[in-house]
Amino acid sequence: MNRSEALAYLDAHIGWGMEPGLERISAFLSMMGNPQETYPIIHVAGTNGKTSVARMATILCVAHGLTTGTYTSPHLERFEERISLNAVMATEAQLIQAVMDVKAFADIFERDSHLTYFELVTALAFSWFADEAVNAAVIEVGMGGRLDATNAAQADVAVVTSIGMDHADVLGDSLEKIAGEKLGILAPEATLVVGPLPDDIAKLARRTAAERGAKIFEYGSDFGVEGASPGLGGWQVDIAGIHAGYPDIDLPVHGRHQTVNLAVAVAAVEALTERALDSRAVQKGISVLATPGRMERLDTSPTLLIDGAHNPDGMRTLSAALAEEYPTTKWVLVVGVMSDKDLDEMLVPLRGRLERVIATAVVSERATDPVEIAQRSAVLLNVPTDSAPTPELALAAAREAAGADGAVLVTGSLYLVGAIRSLVVGSGRPDRNER
């Protein structure tokens, strides 16, 4: 089996769509010997910030001598981004072996049932981490939490980074319902770490923890950001952890919200290890952090900034970050949005920061028609708008419109951000990507 064949095997399961539920994945993992039970787990849910917190928690674990596996989704360019060991994505050879290993069991299991793409990939990650004898794993929820395939694992530490309106058609039409789904990852007698939450959702989190006999640590009362100031290429941060303080951390990523994500990650690793972390290890580990696709500058002349904001809360956070770090910049926006998103609520936060909009879409049945995005943008943003059928054409048009001294912002979908990133710094064509 080569890489193309391995990916084709996984992609063949995309046709089963998304089928929330734990019955199939639990039965399959049982057949495999429950590899997810062989290491402690930090399980990360939330509307926004999941991947960043997962990456930060991984680096902190590695900095403290723990061999750590990480599972995130979706990928931006290469499938291997989803599974990493010690913050280094799997090699081609490792991917092929992991696919072959999981396929041996799936070929038997699927005689009587089927596995979705996400279930199969989740099992692949759990199995690979067991084979690598990791000391810990950091697992990002795909969507929601309670019925997400990743919840077949019983995590030692459950993290909920934030709660906002997203995937309402699946998770529920209120913050309370969505929070209930995300808090569903909390196992009995485990530990819950939560980021900034609205008061009523924080009460729900406390009640959920009490019902499950779990400890809870909350941002703002048990841990938090003591101070943050812009630094060279990022932020200078002082973190107040659960067990200790961590001053003078150089956080090499953009966006003040990332300082909050760092505090959550620190608390999660403190909760896993049940002790204070080594301050120098925290500083050294975080100094090499990278968060591709999150306020990432890819080019100059014109400036090219990409950000994976893909829901209203994410767009509001992005807009606040732009106001703070690029206060006078007017952007040519390249935007693509999936059809299950609230397009209007996503566009409004960018009002006043744009000089032109070019709408586009990635190759996906879920993508909103670029013409529709352009029409809504014209009404809501009151700037010139256009559409382009592909990300490549949209980027070319945006660069021309911005000119060498201008700025281009790409956002609205992680799939779009991945496509643009691949065009600029990657292979030119990202691997197929569904969830």
Side-chain angles (χ1 to χ4, degrees), residues 144-179:
R146 182 176 64 92
L147 298 177
D148 188 76
T150 60
N151 204 31
Q154 297 285 296
D156 301 79
V157 178
V159 178
V160 177
T161 60
S162 63
I163 298 293
M165 292 301 298
D166 198 16
H167 301 295
D169 56 328
V170 177
L171 303 181
D173 58 2
S174 69
L175 289 182
E176 289 77 12
K177 291 178 182 178
I178 292 171

Side-chain angles (χ1 to χ4, degrees), residues 22-37 39 102 105 109 115 119-127 149-154:
L22 300 180
E23 182 177 351
R24 285 183 309 277
I25 181 68
S26 295
F28 185 52
L29 289 169
S30 179
M31 174 187 283
M32 299 180 73
N34 287 314
Q36 78 282 2
E37 296 179 358
Y39 39 79
V102 79
F105 290 95
F109 185 85
L115 293 164
E119 288 170 341
L120 187 64
V121 174
T122 299
L124 181 154
F126 288 156
S127 174
T150 60
N151 204 31
Q154 297 285 296

Side-chain angles (χ1 to χ4, degrees), residues 370-387:
V371 174
E372 179 184 347
I373 298 174
Q375 291 172 341
R376 295 304 303 153
S377 299
V379 172
L380 291 169
L381 303 175
N382 194 31
V383 295
T385 63
D386 203 349
S387 62

Side-chain angles (χ1 to χ4, degrees), residues 129-316:
F129 297 157
D131 288 343
E132 293 292 335
V134 300
N135 303 125
V138 182
I139 308 297
E140 178 187 351
V141 167
M143 181 173 65
R146 182 176 64 92
L147 298 177
D148 188 76
T150 60
N151 204 31
Q154 297 285 296
D156 301 79
V157 178
V159 178
V160 177
T161 60
S162 63
I163 298 293
M165 292 301 298
D166 198 16
H167 301 295
D169 56 328
V170 177
L171 303 181
D173 58 2
S174 69
L175 289 182
E176 289 77 12
K177 291 178 182 178
I178 292 171
E181 291 297 312
K182 296 183 186 298
L183 289 165
I185 67 171
L186 179 62
E189 301 181 359
T191 300
L192 176 63
V193 174
V194 296
L197 301 177
D199 289 344
D200 53 344
I201 304 303
K203 291 177 183 177
L204 175 60
R206 292 179 208 122
R207 185 164 67 247
T208 302
E211 290 170 351
R212 299 179 190 180
K215 292 181 287 187
I216 181 172
F217 297 106
E218 300 179 61
Y219 180 89
S221 56
D222 298 306
F223 66 93
V225 177
E226 280 195 329
S229 57
L232 183 63
W235 291 83
Q236 190 79 20
V237 191
D238 298 326
I239 298 295
I242 298 169
H243 297 294
Y246 308 95
D248 300 323
I249 301 172
D250 289 318
L251 179 62
V253 295
H254 294 282
R256 185 180 289 272
H257 55 284
Q258 295 286 20
T259 67
V260 176
N261 289 336
L262 176 58
V264 173
V266 167
V269 178
E270 284 184 312
L272 183 73
T273 59
E274 298 184 311
R275 63 177 176 83
L277 305 182
D278 181 286
S279 184
R280 287 173 297 179
V282 171
Q283 293 171 341
K284 185 176 180 180
I286 293 300
S287 70
V288 298
L289 174 72
T291 55
R294 280 75 181 173
M295 283 198 74
E296 182 183 16
R297 191 168 75 170
L298 297 183
D299 207 352
T300 57
S301 302
T303 295
L304 175 59
L305 189 75
I306 61 173
D307 188 86
H310 56 279
N311 53 49
D313 277 0
M315 283 296 200
R316 285 188 282 270

Side-chain angles (χ1 to χ4, degrees), residues 13 254 365:
H13 291 76
H254 294 282
E365 294 179 355

